Amino acid sequence: MNTKNFSVAVRLVLIVLLGPLSSVTAQEAPGSNGSGDYALNEIVVTATKRAQNLQNVPTAISAFDSAYLQNNRVQEFTDLAATVPGLIANDGSAGAGVIAIRGISSSARGVPDIEQPVGVFIDGVTAPGSLDFLLHDIERVEVIRGPQGSIWGRNTLGGAVSFTTTRPGDVLSGYLQVGAGDFGFRDLRAAIGGPLIEDKLNARIALGHDERDGYTQRISGGTLGDIDRSVARVSLDWLASDDVSVALIVQRDESEFFNTTGEYFVGPLADFAGTDGFQRRIDTDFHEKSDSNSTTFTGIVSWDIGDYTFTSVTGHRMLDGTTNADSDSTNLPIVVEIVGIDTEQISQEFRLARDGALDGRIDLMIGLDYLKRDDFTHADVSEEGLAVELSFDNEVTSRAAFGALDFHLSDSWVLNTGFRVASEEKASTQTLDVPAFGIELDSGPRDLDDDQFSYLVGLTYNATDDLMLYANLGRGHKSGGFNDLRVTAGPFDNEMGDSYEAGLKATFFDNRAVFNASAFFIDYQDLQIRDLDGIRPVIINAGKAENKGVEIDLSFAATDGLDFTAALYYLDAKYVEFIEPGGQDFSGNRTANAPEWSANLSANYTRAFGNDNEFFATALLAYKDDYFVDFSNDPDSLQPSYTLINGRVGFRFAEKYELSLWGRNLSDEDYRVDFVTIGAVPSKQHVLGAPRTYGAEFRVSFGD
């Protein structure tokens, strides 16, 4: 483990932030009790689909409220990776995003039927394909680690990430924010909400737009990685009666971008391009914009029926877009792909919950879940001038019954249980046409049925009001699917994970300090791995993997104007049994995107001056130990350890105006987020993460 950069960065930030403390006096912050006392804010989460204090939930969760997201400029999904050490969220080449929690990940590039093993949810509705959406007006983000099959359902083998958008309030409030930065960055965000009918109907409108040039220069002109994104959201909260409330959320996302393709650093194509892979300079013969659009309707009904609460969550999500990629990343006409997608998803969940049944001895929740998704993908591929047309028509239907029952065995002991019985059906039809040779292939209907049982059993011990210990075991699943007609591999199997976890959650010093720790062991069977068959992607199953580790989180309110968060995660994630179909043995390899050590340290400092004015500064260091970007542990795919340093400073005036400067990756580290081997050449390419960026923002707020 190379800790030189990390330790130097830690000392630098501590000197900058702690040096002035000898002259700082405690100030009464909003929420202070007026006597100089100060404490950390309580965070309420819905990781169990019930509102609970984060410290009362017996599982490993990282949660961030809107103030934290604003202070640390978490504006897109990939920004979360710096805030959660055990999370990797990267943009890859050709529009492929990767999410990894506890070393479990899967790239979706080039395989229409593959789904991520980490579930993404927006306002309780599953939202695959949303890695590149613009985060705006978000109330809370929860990162739930480990298999979550019993509560969150399908495709949560690695964990779940839940976004909750800001709800309308009963007081008129809002803000307008404008920003600019290097690489032509421009940003505009606004929101306004309040009552339309007093005590009856509240509404909120949120609008956001950002754009910037790409980080990679194209020799023939232009850049790669450009973005131009917009989001619009309308939210309504209707208080139908004292017992019934209805929320309606409509959101539209639009994105245009020039795909980031890999930069060669090994092999003949690297020599041809004249690059060592770290110049952020490539050339392509095909350069067209890609686009991605989605419209989401979410309806949430909550009905109090005596001691019970009935909840209905309805989702309708439509996505379409076109990805234009020069997949060979050269100015030669080798491989060009134009891929269009059209997806429609309908989901419905019903839940019935009650706390304190049977004289306070049982907290229960039972539910039914339904999802239907239709995906149509059409690809026009040119391989060395040979035109190939492909189509994929995939349909998923999932039905499940689930529940959670917590038995209060005594004032201190709770037995936690959960289950999900699910049936998933997949149907797929693929066609392949090569007009030049008169080839027409049709897979015909292909079906896959998968019955799953996920469970959770745990024991919680509330030693005091401020100390909780827990242990649990659970199981998660992800169904299989179908490979491309162009490869020899057949369908790939479902994957499964059994998780064993123990931990503690403690609060100290009158809620000024929070210390959480967990240790886990996860036994994975048949992990779905993205491989290559020649130059074509294929999904195979790894026989067995074991991931184990320890995670420690600490938050501390040092004074009214200074608080710290720190985290240290250890992970040992390896394939125990993994023999590739070609016979190569990868047993003993580390899983991809699984650094052995991860850590972060953040500090948030405010100091009041004048009349309702304050200076603020936020700094974040995020360290990741070396890890392989590829399952084969190719030495060229090793990402050396690196530290990212982000910061933001500014002033607030009259509690409504805010002016700030920000910077990300201030040390300008080069680090890989994707790796591809072009075996036929042979050459290797990678995609680098964002370089140093900086900018300024102005924000005006009104109301509460």
Side-chain angles (χ1 to χ4, degrees):
M1 171 181 167
N2 182 1
T3 60
K4 181 179 178 181
N5 291 341
F6 181 57
S7 60
V8 170
V10 169
R11 290 197 295 270
L12 176 63
V13 169
L14 289 177
I15 290 171
V16 172
L17 287 176
L18 299 181
L21 283 182
S22 60
S23 62
V24 173
T25 58
Q27 304 289 330
E28 289 182 16
S32 171
N33 62 15
S35 63
D37 294 341
Y38 39 89
L40 296 168
N41 292 328
E42 176 182 311
I43 297 181
V44 175
V45 298
T46 54
T48 60
K49 299 197 174 179
R50 290 179 288 184
Q52 294 177 279
N53 185 321
L54 173 65
Q55 291 302 102
N56 296 333
V57 182
T59 193
I61 307 170
S62 298
F64 309 96
D65 60 14
S66 59
Y68 182 95
L69 300 176
Q70 171 70 13
N71 288 338
N72 289 275
R73 293 195 76 257
V74 178
Q75 298 193 325
E76 59 183 38
F77 197 97
T78 56
D79 293 339
L80 287 173
T83 62
V84 183
L87 172 71
I88 288 181
N90 291 331
D91 285 329
S93 65
V98 175
I99 317 175
I101 294 180
R102 291 179 171 175
I104 297 302
S105 65
S106 181
S107 171
R109 172 162 32 87
V111 187
D113 202 32
I114 185 65
E115 299 173 292
Q116 292 279 0
V118 177
V120 178
F121 300 84
I122 304 175
D123 291 318
V125 173
T126 181
S130 56
L131 298 189
D132 59 350
F133 73 88
L134 182 62
L135 288 182
H136 174 52
D137 207 37
I138 301 296
E139 178 181 302
R140 185 177 67 255
V141 179
E142 302 170 37
V143 180
I144 313 161
R145 303 190 290 276
Q148 301 297 318
S150 63
I151 297 296
W152 288 96
R154 63 190 309 272
N155 299 339
T156 56
L157 194 69
V161 181
S162 172
F163 297 90
T164 301
T165 59
T166 303
R167 306 305 311 138
D170 55 9
V171 176
L172 182 65
S173 64
Y175 58 86
L176 173 66
Q177 176 179 304
V178 294
D182 60 343
F183 292 97
F185 176 75
R186 287 175 287 180
D187 185 49
L188 175 63
R189 295 164 186 260
I192 184 171
L196 293 182
I197 303 175
E198 190 172 354
D199 298 327
K200 207 69 176 173
L201 182 64
N202 301 326
R204 187 175 184 87
I205 299 175
L207 303 172
H209 176 82
D210 73 352
E211 57 186 77
R212 64 158 171 78
D213 298 332
Y215 303 133
T216 300
Q217 291 294 319
R218 180 173 179 263
I219 296 172
S220 298
T223 57
L224 297 168
D226 310 44
I227 58 171
D228 188 334
R229 304 179 294 192
S230 299
V231 58
R233 183 188 307 119
V234 177
S235 304
L236 296 173
D237 279 355
W238 175 37
L239 306 177
S241 70
D242 291 341
D243 300 322
V244 179
S245 63
V246 180
L248 176 64
I249 308 161
V250 181
Q251 178 166 320
R252 174 69 176 177
D253 291 276
E254 296 182 354
S255 174
E256 290 187 342
F257 53 96
F258 280 109
N259 257 314
T260 299
T261 54
E263 185 175 0
Y264 288 102
F265 65 100
V266 171
L269 291 179
D271 297 336
F272 175 79
T275 175
D276 62 0
F278 294 93
Q279 298 178 12
R280 298 184 186 272
R281 180 181 63 86
I282 66 173
D283 206 0
T284 61
D285 63 299
F286 179 66
H287 190 60
E288 296 289 341
K289 275 188 177 181
S290 301
D291 67 89
S292 178
N293 311 285
S294 71
T295 303
T296 305
F297 299 89
T298 303
I300 305 172
V301 178
S302 180
W303 180 15
D304 293 330
I305 310 171
D307 294 328
Y308 292 85
T309 298
F310 171 79
T311 304
S312 169
V313 181
T314 305
H316 185 193
R317 183 173 172 83
M318 294 165 286
L319 299 93
D320 65 83
T322 301
T323 299
N324 296 304
D326 187 333
S327 299
D328 59 89
S329 302
T330 72
N331 60 2
L332 302 175
I334 301 176
V335 181
V336 170
E337 296 178 296
I338 303 174
V339 182
I341 63 167
D342 192 349
T343 297
E344 182 173 11
Q345 173 186 288
I346 296 174
S347 61
Q348 177 63 60
E349 181 177 275
F350 296 118
R351 301 195 303 267
L352 186 67
R354 179 183 174 182
D355 289 342
L358 296 179
D359 297 324
R361 287 178 289 180
I362 297 178
D363 300 330
L364 64 89
M365 177 188 67
I366 56 174
L368 298 173
D369 190 27
Y370 172 81
L371 178 140
K372 182 177 176 59
R373 192 178 78 242
D374 294 314
D375 297 309
F376 180 77
T377 302
H378 180 82
D380 291 314
V381 182
S382 174
E383 297 182 353
E384 298 183 356
L386 180 65
V388 179
E389 296 180 13
L390 299 152
S391 70
F392 308 83
D393 195 350
N394 299 321
E395 181 180 297
V396 178
T397 304
S398 175
R399 302 173 180 86
F402 63 95
L405 290 89
D406 295 340
F407 300 91
H408 294 264
L409 306 178
S410 68
D411 290 341
S412 300
W413 291 93
V414 181
L415 175 64
N416 309 107
T417 66
F419 71 91
R420 178 176 291 260
V421 180
S423 174
E424 189 160 311
E425 301 169 0
K426 286 189 173 182
S428 174
T429 301
Q430 298 183 21
T431 63
L432 183 151
D433 294 336
V434 186
F437 294 100
I439 297 175
E440 295 184 4
L441 299 178
D442 189 331
S443 69
R446 300 187 293 180
D447 300 309
L448 181 152
D449 295 330
D450 188 12
D451 295 328
Q452 304 171 354
F453 176 69
S454 301
Y455 61 84
L456 171 72
V457 179
L459 195 62
T460 300
Y461 175 56
N462 296 294
T464 69
D465 290 341
D466 297 323
L467 176 61
M468 179 185 73
L469 296 92
Y470 68 90
N472 57 52
L473 60 96
R475 170 171 290 182
H477 293 268
K478 185 158 79 77
S479 62
F482 305 97
N483 275 302
D484 189 329
L485 273 176
R486 294 173 296 172
V487 301
T488 56
F492 50 92
D493 294 332
N494 70 326
E495 55 186 4
M496 181 180 72
D498 290 321
S499 172
Y500 308 84
E501 182 176 322
L504 66 86
K505 295 190 175 185
T507 304
F508 302 98
F509 309 131
D510 295 325
N511 204 37
R512 285 177 53 197
V514 169
F515 177 83
N516 296 338
S518 62
F520 63 88
F521 174 83
I522 308 176
D523 182 8
Y524 289 104
Q525 304 287 336
D526 295 323
L527 276 179
Q528 295 167 7
I529 306 297
R530 181 189 179 278
D531 197 1
L532 287 176
D533 184 345
I535 61 172
R536 300 180 180 93
V538 60
I539 299 299
I540 60 177
N541 291 99
K544 184 177 181 180
E546 291 180 354
N547 296 15
K548 52 183 177 288
V550 178
E551 300 166 338
I552 299 173
D553 295 274
L554 173 67
S555 300
F556 178 56
T559 72
D560 247 355
L562 179 65
D563 60 74
F564 295 95
T565 62
L568 179 65
Y569 290 8
Y570 169 76
L571 174 65
D572 179 12
K574 294 180 179 178
Y575 299 108
V576 178
E577 299 175 7
F578 184 12
I579 299 178
E580 198 183 28
Q584 192 167 0
D585 190 351
F586 294 115
S587 302
N589 277 16
R590 291 160 61 180
T591 66
N593 301 301
E596 186 176 18
W597 291 95
S598 301
N600 70 15
L601 172 66
S602 68
N604 184 46
Y605 171 65
T606 60
R607 182 174 183 178
F609 67 93
N611 237 353
D612 296 328
N613 304 322
E614 71 177 14
F615 166 79
F616 64 88
T618 298
L620 171 67
L621 289 84
Y623 170 81
K624 285 184 169 53
D625 202 0
D626 55 50
Y627 61 92
F628 290 99
V629 185
D630 184 72
F631 75 88
S632 69
N633 288 191
D634 184 327
D636 290 321
S637 77
L638 179 68
Q639 168 56 51
S641 61
Y642 65 95
T643 301
L644 300 182
I645 305 175
N646 302 335
R648 182 171 175 261
V649 297
F651 296 91
R652 297 186 182 97
F653 304 100
E655 297 184 349
K656 62 184 298 186
Y657 302 105
E658 183 177 296
L659 180 64
S660 64
L661 301 175
W662 58 267
R664 301 184 69 85
N665 190 8
L666 291 173
S667 59
D668 202 20
E669 291 269 7
D670 286 329
Y671 60 99
R672 297 184 175 103
V673 297
D674 201 1
F675 170 85
V676 178
T677 296
I678 310 298
V681 180
S683 292
K684 300 173 184 180
Q685 59 176 242
H686 61 203
V687 177
L688 299 178
R692 176 172 50 230
T693 56
Y694 53 84
E697 292 175 341
F698 176 73
R699 181 184 180 106
V700 57
S701 305
F702 61 90
D704 288 348

